[in-house]
């Protein structure tokens, strides 16, 4: 079980870089620019965490149980790979530099010497996977996502998420489709580095034709990322904010706010396979395998 959970955690991180490499990048960027550098990650991570919560609007009116493994593949748009940094007086940002998902950093010359911004991890797609359990009773479903704290490279990683879905169609006589509303909350943390909190509200509908169920949803969501890191001062840096050792703590919001989801599910006895696509600030392809009854 520990190996399985570690697999999901490593998938959640979605890169081949280690924590030390992440921190190496952060320690070379000032608090003035770190928000623009990190925001695409907050957006992508929040988008992924708010995905995969439904594949049908049908909620059991007696009792139901499901165990699911959901996967997401987030596409990072080109505009989130670079940004124009804020530089001290006398410096000109003649070229863009990488965000955390971008490729090459940049060097800027000015009256007080050179300022170098760090590279990114050079990826345009971000995969994730999340295990979840659903329990339904009397037209209401509770969703739980949980990974206990796991030690990796001296840091503890943990994931916790809950959701509640309620059937709306049961209040509308003779309605030809199933309709439900859902609220989701999740938190992912890496000690002494990041904590990501996500909140989402959605309404979704579906229609079952035998073993086939197409579904559609509209969702509003938000993501807040708290980041803590250390700057290792370089007295020769042209940026006064990078010349001394410093502890930096800040919060930033993801740009994910609204999305539309289209998908379909296939149920074979107690097994369900689903696939969908979401369109918002980032495009997400999702899918999952569920055991449910």
């Amino acid at each position: 079980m520990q190996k399985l959970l570690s697999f999901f955690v490593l998938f959640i991180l979605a890169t081949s870089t280690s924590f030390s490499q992440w921190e190496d990048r952060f320690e070379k960027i000032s608090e003035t620019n770190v928000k623009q550098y990190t925001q695409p990650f907050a957006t992508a991570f929040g988008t992924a965490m708010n995905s995969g919560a439904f594949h049908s609007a049908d909620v059991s009116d007696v009792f139901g149980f499901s165990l699911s493994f959901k996967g997401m593949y987030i596409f990072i748009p080109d505009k989130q790979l670079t940004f124009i940094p804020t530089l001290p007086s006398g410096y000109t940002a003649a070229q863009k530099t990488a965000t955390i998902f971008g490729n090459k950093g940049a060097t800027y010359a000015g009256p007080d010497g050179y300022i170098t911004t760090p590279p990114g991890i050079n990826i345009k797609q971000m995969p994730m996977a999340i295990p979840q359990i659903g329990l339904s009773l009397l037209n209401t479903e509770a969703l739980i996502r949980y990974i206990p704290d796991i030690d990796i490279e001296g840091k503890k990683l943990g994931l916790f998420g809950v959701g509640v879905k309620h059937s709306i169609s049961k209040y509308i006589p003779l309605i030809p489709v199933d309709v439900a509303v859902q609220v989701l909350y999740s938190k992912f943390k890496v000690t002494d580095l990041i904590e990501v909190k996500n909140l989402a509200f959605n309404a979704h509908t579906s229609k079952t034709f035998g073993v086939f169920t197409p579904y559609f949803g509209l969702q509003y969501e938000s993501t807040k990322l708290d980041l803590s890191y250390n700057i290792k001062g370089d007295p020769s840096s042209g940026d006064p904010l990078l010349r001394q050792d410093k502890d930096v703590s800040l919060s930033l919001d993801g740009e994910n706010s609204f999305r539309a989801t289209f998908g379909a599910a296939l149920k074979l006895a107690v097994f369900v396979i689903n696939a969908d696509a979401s369109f918002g600030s980032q495009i997400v392809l999702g899918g999952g395998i569920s055991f449910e009854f």
Side-chain angles (χ1 to χ4, degrees):
M1 179 61 72
Q2 185 78 3
K3 290 183 178 179
L4 178 61
L5 293 175
S6 296
F7 166 78
F8 280 106
V9 169
L10 292 174
F11 231 62
I12 285 173
L13 293 178
T15 78
S16 60
T17 56
S18 67
F19 291 127
S20 60
Q21 290 174 304
W22 280 66
E23 292 178 298
D24 287 346
R25 289 172 168 82
F26 285 129
E27 69 184 23
K28 297 175 182 177
I29 190 166
S30 70
E31 58 265 43
T32 303
N33 292 311
V34 73
K35 284 191 175 183
Q36 293 186 81
Y37 181 77
T38 311
Q39 189 177 57
F41 174 78
T43 302
F45 197 90
T47 297
M49 289 296 296
N50 290 325
S51 297
F54 62 86
H55 57 255
S56 171
D58 182 25
V59 184
S60 175
D61 57 0
V62 182
F63 175 79
F65 171 83
S66 66
L67 172 64
S68 306
F69 298 96
K70 299 291 187 175
M72 309 91 185
Y73 200 73
I74 302 96
F75 293 86
I76 314 300
D78 288 344
K79 66 179 182 179
Q80 295 181 15
L81 300 177
T82 60
F83 73 99
I84 299 175
T86 300
L87 301 175
S89 177
Y91 289 81
T92 300
Q95 60 179 316
K96 294 182 178 180
T97 186
T99 67
I100 197 167
F101 287 133
N103 187 6
K104 296 179 180 180
T107 299
Y108 305 92
D112 295 321
Y114 290 98
I115 297 175
T116 300
T117 53
I121 56 180
N122 192 26
I123 62 171
K124 293 185 178 182
Q125 299 86 30
M126 175 175 156
M128 282 185 59
I130 301 174
Q132 60 188 34
I133 293 175
L135 295 170
S136 56
L137 181 68
L138 302 178
N139 302 112
T140 300
E141 179 186 66
L143 182 71
I144 301 172
R145 294 173 168 177
Y146 178 66
I147 295 177
D149 287 351
I150 298 173
D151 290 321
I152 298 180
E153 295 188 3
K155 294 185 179 295
K156 288 187 177 181
L157 291 77
L159 167 68
F160 173 74
V162 293
V164 177
K165 177 165 73 173
H166 186 68
S167 172
I168 299 299
S169 51
K170 73 166 191 151
Y171 300 108
I172 308 174
L174 303 178
I175 186 171
V177 296
D178 294 307
V179 181
V181 293
Q182 186 178 50
V183 59
L184 302 166
Y185 171 80
S186 63
K187 182 173 75 172
F188 175 77
K189 65 179 181 179
V190 180
T191 54
D192 302 321
L193 186 58
I194 62 171
E195 182 176 270
V196 187
K197 297 178 181 178
N198 306 282
L199 184 63
F201 303 89
N202 69 63
H204 53 279
T205 183
S206 67
K207 175 69 174 179
T208 299
F209 303 93
V211 298
F212 180 70
T213 303
Y215 57 91
F216 168 73
L218 294 174
Q219 179 165 288
Y220 172 80
E221 61 192 69
S222 64
T223 296
K224 179 181 179 181
L225 184 148
D226 295 324
L227 174 66
S228 298
Y229 70 101
N230 307 108
I231 291 176
K232 290 187 177 180
D234 178 5
S236 65
S237 174
D239 190 341
L241 297 175
L242 295 174
R243 292 173 187 166
Q244 296 181 343
D245 292 350
K246 186 186 303 182
D247 295 331
V248 178
S249 296
L250 55 88
S251 297
L252 59 96
D253 297 323
E255 293 182 333
N256 51 317
S257 58
F258 181 82
R259 74 165 84 180
T261 300
F262 303 83
L266 183 66
K267 185 170 185 178
L268 305 172
V270 295
F271 294 99
V272 179
I273 301 172
N274 75 288
D276 55 44
S278 294
F279 301 89
S281 61
Q282 297 170 334
I283 296 175
V284 186
L285 297 183
I289 299 175
S290 305
F291 165 81
E292 59 183 45
F293 63 86

